[in-house]
Amino acid sequence: MSDKNISNTLSDKYRFLIRYVKPSYIEYGEPKEEIFQLREDREPPEEYISFYHSKKESMYEKISDIKSILQKRNFKISKSSGFLSLNALDAIEEINITREIISFKEERYPHYGMYYESSDIIDIQEAKTILLYNCKLYLNRDLKSEDSSKKLI
Amino acid sequence: MKKKDNSTEIYYLQEIKYSPIKYSNITHIIELNDDLTREESLWNMILRAVDNSQNIENTIELFMSKIIDSNYEYLDEYSTFFDKLSLVYREYKLEASKKKLNQFHEVSIDSFFQLIRFIPEFPKENLDIYLDERTGCFGVVIKSKHKSKPILNLLMQDNKEIIFSYIKRRKKIIKISGRAYFNDVYEDSCEMKKLIRMIRE
């Protein structure tokens, strides 16, 4: 187990991780399966699914915090994009209950990487389906109109 | 209620395969099969006519246009499915064309046929189509509005295996995952109901 394994670095209170979702991976306000595919154009090919962490309290504050981090890095955030939240500790527990299929590792905080540890196609399909089942999508356009005092759960 | 085909006129599929006959002229030609609905029988015939077109230059776009031009009786009910399929395909190709460092897998025509052969068995709503970047194979995610909101994810592999995963939560997570195989005979596609039944509880 890596020292940077998420279980060792995230307390129960801060267990949510956030992922930016581009518009083409959203359909009728719902996340598409492609969100959990390794599709980025990188050499060597992408090894993990990117997530970010924030220590802010509410989900709205967490997403705003991560948006500002991304914008400072000149990352273009589309108006019709979204952010998904995932309870990473629950995901690990539910996906890895019988064998290790995924892991989350810190990749220079606040950035985390989700790795597929299994090469078995059924394991990966099952993991993606659980991730899709467990994640919650927040549309960027809704966040903009959100009163900052209103706390998203 | 299952609609039974009452046609008494049987044409051999071999004749259809090599005949320039238009679908509009053969809507009454249905292979008699007590197990299948009229929709399933007609769809299998369309698939066979399109699939047998012997042209190695055939592309997914061409197959889709042939189906749309077929005047298939239930085509209107499939329009949402084909709109989604077309969009997913075009976006995948577009994303692939922009890639400079690592390439997506080529889209699998065999997987395309594995997907569309089951259209009569799929629910008309709450269905999302995707393309898997590792394999170039099509998949569908079917969501239920049942209170536990179960989902079923099917990946149509080009070896005709289907990787399925059904997820729901009761007190804790329930996972049913594995492989299914429905061979290459279109008349056996109706067995997909066994998987779909999980999400239709």
Side-chain angles (χ1 to χ4, degrees):
Chain A
M1 283 287 233
S2 161
D3 287 335
K4 289 183 175 180
N5 189 290
I6 196 169
S7 306
N8 300 330
T9 57
L10 287 185
S11 69
D12 194 53
K13 188 177 177 186
Y14 300 117
R15 55 172 52 190
F16 285 98
L17 292 179
I18 311 286
R19 173 165 169 77
Y20 173 75
V21 182
K22 58 184 183 179
S24 58
Y25 297 163
I26 299 171
E27 189 175 75
Y28 303 116
E30 294 282 332
K32 287 174 65 67
E33 207 263 4
E34 287 93 329
I35 289 175
F36 298 111
Q37 294 184 17
L38 297 164
R39 284 192 164 206
E40 292 301 310
D41 193 24
R42 302 226 175 97
E43 184 56 49
E46 196 179 29
E47 291 182 320
Y48 57 78
I49 305 286
S50 279
F51 285 86
Y52 286 86
H53 181 252
S54 168
K55 291 179 178 168
K56 302 283 185 189
E57 283 291 322
S58 73
M59 189 54 69
Y60 178 78
E61 289 169 326
K62 284 179 197 294
I63 294 172
S64 295
D65 188 29
I66 288 159
K67 269 172 83 171
S68 62
I69 290 168
L70 291 173
Q71 280 164 337
K72 277 178 197 162
R73 294 178 182 182
N74 294 323
F75 188 88
K76 194 182 167 194
I77 296 174
S78 165
K79 286 179 184 171
S80 50
S81 65
F83 290 85
L84 70 80
S85 76
L86 181 76
N87 185 325
L89 298 186
D90 280 357
I92 290 170
E93 190 182 322
E94 293 184 339
I95 293 170
N96 292 351
I97 197 161
T98 50
R99 65 183 71 78
E100 189 182 11
I101 301 174
I102 61 158
S103 67
F104 287 88
K105 288 167 192 161
E106 191 181 311
E107 299 287 343
R108 296 175 70 185
Y109 188 86
H111 185 213
Y112 281 82
M114 192 202 78
Y115 291 79
Y116 292 108
E117 300 289 357
S118 171
S119 56
D120 182 280
I121 195 162
I122 300 175
D123 283 349
I124 293 176
Q125 177 89 344
E126 184 178 275
K128 284 179 179 173
T129 313
I130 295 173
L131 291 165
L132 205 55
Y133 185 81
N134 283 358
C135 74
K136 184 166 182 182
L137 183 69
Y138 298 91
L139 299 175
N140 201 12
R141 63 164 189 263
D142 295 341
L143 292 165
K144 280 185 177 169
S145 61
E146 194 72 39
D147 176 1
S148 60
S149 63
K150 187 177 172 186
K151 297 194 173 186
L152 298 175
I153 300 168
Chain B
M1 277 295 276
K2 187 187 272 191
K3 277 196 281 184
K4 289 281 168 64
D5 164 40
N6 295 320
S7 171
T8 53
E9 198 164 2
I10 304 171
Y11 284 58
Y12 288 102
L13 290 166
Q14 197 69 11
E15 278 180 49
I16 295 164
K17 178 177 168 183
Y18 296 112
S19 163
I21 195 165
K22 290 273 185 192
Y23 175 75
S24 54
N25 298 329
I26 57 166
T27 50
H28 63 290
I29 307 166
I30 301 169
E31 189 182 9
L32 290 176
N33 190 326
D34 285 343
D35 291 342
L36 304 182
T37 63
R38 176 182 172 81
E39 179 185 358
E40 288 167 337
S41 298
L42 285 172
W43 183 239
N44 291 339
M45 202 170 62
I46 290 288
L47 289 176
R48 224 174 246 107
V50 171
D51 195 6
N52 282 335
S53 38
Q54 307 288 316
N55 184 352
I56 57 165
E57 302 281 315
N58 270 341
T59 61
I60 287 175
E61 291 98 324
L62 198 58
F63 282 126
M64 279 200 274
S65 71
K66 282 181 180 179
I67 291 166
I68 288 161
D69 289 344
S70 69
N71 294 329
Y72 171 57
E73 190 178 323
Y74 298 88
L75 204 57
D76 282 351
E77 294 176 30
Y78 295 4
S79 60
T80 306
F81 186 96
F82 277 110
D83 287 347
K84 284 183 181 182
L85 178 55
S86 180
L87 183 64
V88 166
Y89 178 71
R90 277 187 278 119
E91 284 187 344
Y92 186 91
K93 296 285 272 188
L94 181 66
E95 203 173 331
S97 71
K98 289 178 182 169
K99 285 194 168 288
K100 295 180 180 130
L101 301 174
N102 56 317
Q103 296 298 312
F104 280 175
H105 200 286
E106 193 67 29
V107 179
S108 163
I109 291 183
D110 288 336
S111 171
F112 168 76
F113 273 99
Q114 275 298 297
L115 174 74
I116 65 170
R117 67 181 282 199
F118 299 112
I119 298 177
E121 316 306 332
F122 291 147
K124 302 286 186 281
E125 295 177 333
N126 304 314
L127 182 144
D128 176 32
I129 302 168
Y130 66 88
L131 262 163
D132 180 60
E133 102 292 348
R134 291 164 307 144
T135 58
C137 291
F138 287 91
V140 291
V141 174
I142 303 168
K143 295 180 179 175
S144 165
K145 291 191 171 174
H146 187 271
K147 64 178 180 181
S148 61
K149 293 189 166 50
I151 61 176
L152 176 66
N153 189 353
L154 307 171
L155 180 66
M156 311 303 188
Q157 296 202 99
D158 45 15
N159 65 358
K160 298 184 174 55
E161 272 186 345
I162 294 170
I163 306 299
F164 65 89
S165 187
Y166 169 84
I167 302 297
K168 73 179 284 189
R169 186 174 287 111
R170 285 174 67 89
K171 300 291 185 194
K172 287 187 175 181
I173 198 90
I174 306 288
K175 320 186 227 185
I176 304 174
S177 304
R179 305 171 199 272
Y181 179 72
F182 298 103
N183 66 58
D184 57 356
V185 179
Y186 289 138
E187 277 64 35
D188 290 348
S189 305
C190 59
E191 288 294 315
M192 171 58 85
K193 287 187 184 75
K194 302 286 193 303
L195 288 180
I196 302 293
R197 203 172 283 161
M198 285 196 282
I199 202 83
R200 281 197 164 141
E201 62 182 351

